Every structure is written in C-alpha cells, then in structure tokens.
Amino acid sequence: MRKGILAVAAAGLLVTGGLSACGDDSGSKGAGGAKTPKIGVILPDSKSSGRWEGADRPFLEQAFKAAGVQYDIQNAQNDKTQFQTIADQMITSGVTALMIVNLDSGTGKAVLDKAKSQGVATIDYDRLTLGGSAQYYVSFDNVAVGKLQGEGLVKCLTDMKVQKPVVAELNGSPTDNNATLFKNGYDSVLKPKYDSGEYTKGPDDSVPDWDPAQALTIFEQQLTKQSGKIDGVLAANDKLGNAAISILKKNSLNGKVPVTGQDAEPQGLQNILAGDQCMTVYKAVKQEAAAAADLAIALAKGEKKDTGQTVRDPEGNRDVPAVLLQPKAITKENVKDVIADGYVTKAEVCTPALASACAAAGIS
Ligand code: BGC
C-alpha cells in the first residue's frame, strides 16, 4: 500500500519534471571509449539534520541499486579537508559522476572544478555551489520552504492571539546558500509585519554549520538579551527548533512560544504532536534522490538530460540546469501524511508517551 503511493509519487515527478533522455551521439566522454558508470556522492555531515543519513543515503542507494549502477556514498562529517580527500579518492577510483552537498561554496567549487577537469560529470545536490561548475542542480524550491515557515509561524501566532509578538530568528549556516534562500522566504512574510509595527523584530542570528549545540547557546543568549520576551521563534530546521525548544523548556515556556522547523524529522514531528513546535516543512527526499540519481546515471553513461528549468547562480553569473521540487507544510493535522509517504515510521514517532496525541492526530 505504502509502496504503491511512493511509486506513483516518484513516477509523477518524472513526468512533471519533464526529464527526457537524449543520447549523446559521441557515446562516451573523452578519448578512452565508454567507461563503466560509477557514481560518487558526498554528504555533508550527520549532526545538522537527520535527513542525510536517515533519508538521503537510503533513498539514493535504493535508486542506484534499482538502476544497477555502481556507487560510493560517503559523509564528510562537516570536515572540509575530509570533503576534498573523499572527492580526490572518488575521482582516482574512477567515478564517472560526482554528486556533492557542499560544506561551503569555496571548497565545493574546488572539488567540482577538479572533477570537471578530469572529465567527471557533476551535480550539486540540495545546495547550490555559488560560483561553481556543477552541470546540474537538484533541490527543492528553497524560497518556498522559507515562505511556508514564515506563514506557519504567523498562523500559530494568530491562533494564539499574541499581540505585537517579538519574533526571534535562528537562521541556518551562513555558508549554506539554502540558508540564505530560506531566510529570503521567511523574511518576505515577516518583514512587512515588522515594518508595519504589527510584529516586533527580535534577535536575528545565524547558526554556524547548522550546529545544534551552538544553537542552544545562541538561543539562550537571545532569550536572556530579551529578558525572556520572545513570542515566536523562526528556526530554520528541526534541529535548530529543537535546540530552542530545549531552552524554552528550561524556562517553562515550551508550548507558549511557537517554534518552526524543517525536515520532518521524527524529533520535529514529536515536538509538533507534543504541542511544543508549531510546524515543520516536509521535503520528499525520496523524490529529490530519485531525480538526482536519474541525472547522475544518465551523465555517468555519457547522456544528457533536459530538466526544462534553470536557476541563476548570482556569483558565477550562469543559469544552472535544475530540478526543483515542492515542499509541504506540516502541522499536527497532517503529520500523518509524512508517515503515509513512508518518510518516517509510526514506530519512530509514536512513543508510548505520545500514543494519545498520535491517535488524536489520526495516526493509526
Ligand atoms: C538542507 C536542509 C538541512 C540543512 C542542515 C540544508 O542545506 O536543505 O534540509 O536541514 O541543510 O543540514
């Protein structure tokens, strides 16, 4: 049943994404004739979000296995030197396509440029490398992600009838272009409210490397600076949101101050069901992995694909062929959709303590 839904969703993506194969007449890259396709993937870390090891890796593996293509997926654990070492090893081992989630644009660019110079096809996965040379970019509409967060927070503050709320912002890593796009999205919703005086702009800080441990300290400082007067928290993902919720709990403020998130992690969904988190953003990573794998496999075979869309790299002044998927806002009412989509299991979310909340949310 669940598998059926996923298969339909994935097939829908391929149709709406407009991906169409068109064989490269040369049939191979370089002078050496056809190479055996092998795809290298470098994930960024496993602390800033559960998605990389919990969703991206298994969904990518599933797609590569289904296509019968060789692959090597590694995680740089937030170490830029290690990131470059992994890339070098992958290139030496003969990957024909390399997919990266950069740790910052500078080191990402160095890796992409080197791969390109060795005739290896390249894809920016989830994060765009500014000034980089990736042949494709596969991600979500990240400004739309931020808008959903901003609108979600506004709805929670409105429902709670908070007058002239002070909103604190916990932004993602300053070196992640996605963090900039998320902020553009939520500020497009919040700034008009700050400007009109309907809301009060509170502390606004970025969290280096999306590090949840630093987020604890940063949010605690925000709350202290405000003498406890924070009415809503725009946290850019579930890990940052959970850090804010921990500090709010210490101050007996959880549940009274809405907090946003992103990634629909089990922890984020639990915080929503417990009433401590206002919303999260679900990104169907299975579709993102499938689209990227599809492109990587085509590139690895020396084929080209038309994605029908581009995004502008403002630093490199180029339009990068892209696949951008649509995010979805999740509140208590539709946590069940994330489970029905096979992204997380009921067992991961519905602990005994949350059994009645799960039943009330229609999770069966
Ligand atoms: C991703 C988010 C993730 C964050 C931290 C961003 O680039 O789009 O899904 O939560 O990085 O890993």
Side-chain angles (χ1 to χ4, degrees):
M1 179 64 175
R2 189 173 292 158
K3 276 198 177 118
I5 295 169
L6 290 172
V8 170
L13 161 77
L14 294 180
V15 175
T16 53
L19 300 180
S20 58
C22 50
D24 178 342
D25 285 340
S26 70
S28 66
K29 295 181 295 301
K35 296 179 192 165
T36 309
K38 181 174 175 191
I39 297 155
V41 181
I42 313 180
L43 300 174
D45 70 82
S46 44
K47 286 197 184 139
S48 66
S49 170
R51 63 168 286 183
W52 306 115
E53 289 298 331
D56 295 86
R57 181 191 288 271
F59 286 134
L60 285 165
E61 277 175 352
Q62 194 180 317
F64 295 143
K65 279 186 188 149
V69 72
Q70 285 184 46
Y71 63 90
D72 179 12
I73 304 176
Q74 295 199 42
N75 191 314
Q77 300 300 359
N78 198 35
D79 179 334
K80 289 167 198 138
T81 310
Q82 184 61 11
F83 195 99
Q84 280 171 308
T85 306
I86 294 171
D88 286 344
Q89 284 165 353
M90 285 180 171
I91 294 170
T92 309
S93 83
V95 295
T96 48
L98 182 65
M99 274 168 62
I100 66 162
V101 185
N102 73 53
L103 290 174
D104 66 18
S105 284
T107 51
K109 176 180 163 50
V111 161
L112 293 169
D113 288 352
K114 191 166 197 177
K116 189 180 179 192
S117 74
Q118 311 271 321
V120 175
T122 50
I123 297 175
D124 267 334
Y125 183 67
D126 202 72
R127 299 177 180 167
L128 182 68
T129 301
L130 297 177
S133 56
Q135 285 162 272
Y136 291 99
Y137 173 51
V138 178
S139 192
F140 285 80
D141 178 340
N142 292 309
V143 176
V145 169
K147 274 196 193 136
L148 293 177
Q149 293 172 318
E151 287 161 4
L153 187 64
V154 167
K155 175 150 195 324
C156 285
L157 288 167
T158 308
D159 289 351
M160 292 168 83
K161 301 194 171 45
V162 187
Q163 296 300 310
K164 214 173 156 75
V166 176
V167 172
E169 296 187 17
L170 265 185
N171 311 301
S173 173
T175 61
D176 180 355
N177 182 57
N178 284 347
T180 308
L181 300 175
F182 302 146
K183 186 166 172 58
N184 288 346
Y186 50 74
D187 281 349
S188 74
V189 176
L190 297 173
K191 194 168 179 297
K193 297 199 178 285
Y194 300 145
D195 290 348
S196 71
E198 195 188 336
Y199 284 17
T200 303
K201 185 170 167 53
D204 180 0
D205 295 298
S206 293
V207 178
D209 300 329
W210 293 91
D211 177 3
Q214 292 190 58
L216 282 173
T217 316
I218 293 172
F219 185 70
E220 190 149 43
Q221 284 166 354
Q222 291 187 336
L223 198 61
T224 307
K225 183 174 152 203
Q226 289 295 119
S227 309
K229 176 67 181 152
I230 287 178
D231 301 303
V233 184
L234 193 309
N237 78 357
D238 285 347
K239 285 274 190 276
L240 305 186
N242 191 56
I245 290 167
S246 309
I247 302 299
L248 290 170
K249 276 185 181 159
K250 253 175 65 178
N251 292 275
S252 306
L253 286 170
N254 57 308
K256 297 177 189 147
V257 179
V259 177
T260 62
Q262 168 181 194
D263 287 345
E265 288 199 44
Q267 170 102 77
L269 298 173
Q270 288 172 340
N271 285 338
I272 291 176
L273 291 166
D276 292 339
Q277 185 170 327
C278 152
M279 59 86 69
T280 187
V281 178
Y282 172 49
K283 301 190 294 191
V285 171
K286 187 181 169 84
Q287 295 187 12
E288 187 180 21
D294 199 45
L295 284 172
I297 290 162
L299 287 172
K301 290 180 180 161
E303 293 168 357
K304 288 182 187 129
K305 290 220 173 196
D306 179 7
T307 60
Q309 194 181 358
T310 58
V311 295
R312 186 82 186 154
D313 168 0
E315 252 172 54
N317 284 322
R318 69 176 185 124
D319 295 316
V320 188
V323 176
L324 293 186
L325 301 160
Q326 286 308 312
K328 178 172 169 174
I330 300 294
T331 56
K332 238 180 223 181
E333 284 63 48
N334 61 353
V335 166
K336 59 179 178 304
D337 294 359
V338 183
I339 295 171
D341 209 22
Y343 191 69
V344 294
T345 62
K346 181 188 171 190
E348 285 173 298
V349 179
C350 297
T351 54
L354 286 171
S356 59
C358 280
I363 301 167
S364 51

